[in-house]
Amino acid sequence: MGSAEPPVADGELQFIQHSAARTRVLDAALELFAVHGVSGTSLQMIADTVGITKAAVYHQFRTKNNVVLAVTERELGRLAPALQEAEAHGDESHARDALLVRVIEMAVRDRRLVRTLQFDPVVVRLLAEHEPFQRFMERMYRVLLGETGVDGRIQGAMLSGAISSAVMHPLVGDVDDDTLRAKLTDITRRLLDLPGDRR
Amino acid sequence: MGSAEPPVADGELQFIQHSAARTRVLDAALELFAVHGVSGTSLQMIADTVGITKAAVYHQFRTKNNVVLAVTERELGRLAPALQEAEAHGDESHARDALLVRVIEMAVRDRRLVRTLQFDPVVVRLLAEHEPFQRFMERMYRVLLGETGVDGRIQGAMLSGAISSAVMHPLVGDVDDDTLRAKLTDITRRLLDLPGDRR
DNA sequence: GTCTATATTATGATAGAC
DNA sequence: GTCTATCATAATATAGAC
């Protein structure tokens, strides 16, 4: 591992502070990923967006894959504090609700990024292959769903997709953030209460 | 428009019969798109999977984009009969339910393809840019949602994502088709009834 | 319908100067 | 931290023979 690059996705996911230059690259990459997908985004496009050359990007990240990793890690890591708070919370039901609110908040605010983080094939493979990501998502679902039988897992899958889709779907492109957040929170809460009133 | 290629996505979406050679290409393309995404899939990969050369693929489709178009058109077109039936149905509520069942059926059966058709950036752009696709999706949502205020659109966005996600999420990878279809139908019906019992 | 061969451009990646 | 220059490879696409 080179001296320029921080450890990538080993240990627990957390907030990671990047240098200004790296942050510019990651911001540009994320924005481009959202529009063209990861595979449809070249390092040249990223470099052009930042206003530097490819070589300068390679000074910050050894491979394109490391850019994808860093982006995914950074964005997922933004949920880490909310997750930790929820896990520390005494009341299970309140913890779930609090985390849900934070997840919806982030999804609504960063609508454009949701498709990339949840559905891009490259990111999906990353999430499946790297243990820290898996562990993080497991913790998320443990809080959001409680114990996970078949019903709970189907429910969780639907929930995650419903939230994602609700913020990125063309149907709701013109709905403002506040309205969307409110409706989404409301419907999601009811969805979680559906099968047998599990509260 | 060349003599070898059929009209692509003008007029209404419908079942389209392709030649055996074209069908082989489209099948391979769809399978590869599902794994690597559209941008992550090259014509070389498609050719290799079919067992022919790139040139042979180009004999069937003038550009890669036309392959993507044809794939999208073919798969979406498979819902056309169900949509027409539903539109012809007298009772609005029964029509909605019948279409829903067909959509879920197809989503569950072709789990691997859902991510591509619903979320791949290239396909999403296609759907947004080509009128026939837009018109088709409008008709789908008209039947599934009835009149479309803000609430209905948010609900529709959630519904589409919830179904998609429920069939493609790692959480439900080991759930068999029958179980998944049953639970999904059940939860979806309840989701549609949620805000103010709109039946 | 499929092939070989080729043109053109873009891609991920590296070396070394400033 | 950024640059110019370069490399090897892979991409989309075409021409023309069988």
Side-chain angles (χ1 to χ4, degrees), chain B residues 3-129:
Chain B
S3 62
E5 211 160 344
V8 173
D10 54 346
E12 294 305 311
L13 277 202
Q14 52 182 311
F15 263 131
I16 291 186
Q17 271 296 21
H18 293 278
S19 72
R22 254 201 289 272
T23 300
R24 279 192 294 272
V25 170
L26 293 180
D27 289 345
L30 187 47
E31 214 63 50
L32 287 166
F33 290 168
V35 178
H36 303 100
V38 173
S39 289
T41 302
S42 69
L43 288 178
Q44 187 65 65
M45 292 161 77
I46 296 173
D48 288 349
T49 301
V50 179
I52 56 180
T53 61
K54 269 190 297 180
V57 176
Y58 273 106
H59 180 72
Q60 309 294 344
F61 300 94
R62 267 181 315 149
T63 63
K64 180 185 172 182
N65 203 52
N66 278 18
V67 176
V68 183
L69 251 164
V71 164
T72 309
E73 200 181 9
R74 186 183 69 164
E75 298 307 311
L76 232 53
R78 290 169 55 195
L79 281 172
L83 175 56
Q84 269 182 306
E85 273 177 48
E87 286 173 332
H89 205 296
D91 184 66
E92 204 181 281
S93 164
H94 279 167
R96 177 180 310 154
D97 201 70
L99 183 54
L100 194 62
V101 167
R102 295 285 288 272
V103 169
I104 290 177
E105 226 173 65
M106 177 171 160
V108 170
R109 186 178 348 103
D110 304 316
R111 298 189 198 198
R112 307 172 315 292
L113 318 179
V114 169
R115 176 158 26 228
T116 304
L117 298 172
Q118 277 252 313
F119 301 118
D120 191 287
V122 177
V123 176
V124 167
R125 189 179 312 166
L126 230 61
L127 292 176
E129 285 175 356

Side-chain angles (χ1 to χ4, degrees), chain A residues 145-158 195 198, chain B residues 111 166 169-184 187:
Chain A
L145 299 175
E147 281 314 307
T148 51
V150 175
D151 280 30
R153 288 185 352 250
I154 295 179
Q155 214 187 321
M158 291 186 74
R198 43 199 343 272
Chain B
R111 298 189 198 198
H169 203 286
L171 275 174
V172 298
D174 63 330
V175 179
D176 68 281
D177 283 14
D178 286 342
T179 305
L180 188 54
R181 190 166 39 237
K183 300 271 181 205
L184 198 42
I187 301 183

Side-chain angles (χ1 to χ4, degrees), chain A residues 151-189:
Chain A
D151 280 30
R153 288 185 352 250
I154 295 179
Q155 214 187 321
M158 291 186 74
L159 182 65
S160 92
I163 295 174
S164 302
S165 182
V167 300
M168 68 191 217
H169 203 287
L171 276 174
V172 298
D174 62 331
V175 179
D176 68 283
D177 282 14
D178 286 341
T179 304
L180 188 54
R181 189 166 40 237
K183 300 270 183 208
L184 198 41
T185 308
D186 185 53
I187 301 182
T188 309
R189 279 186 180 135

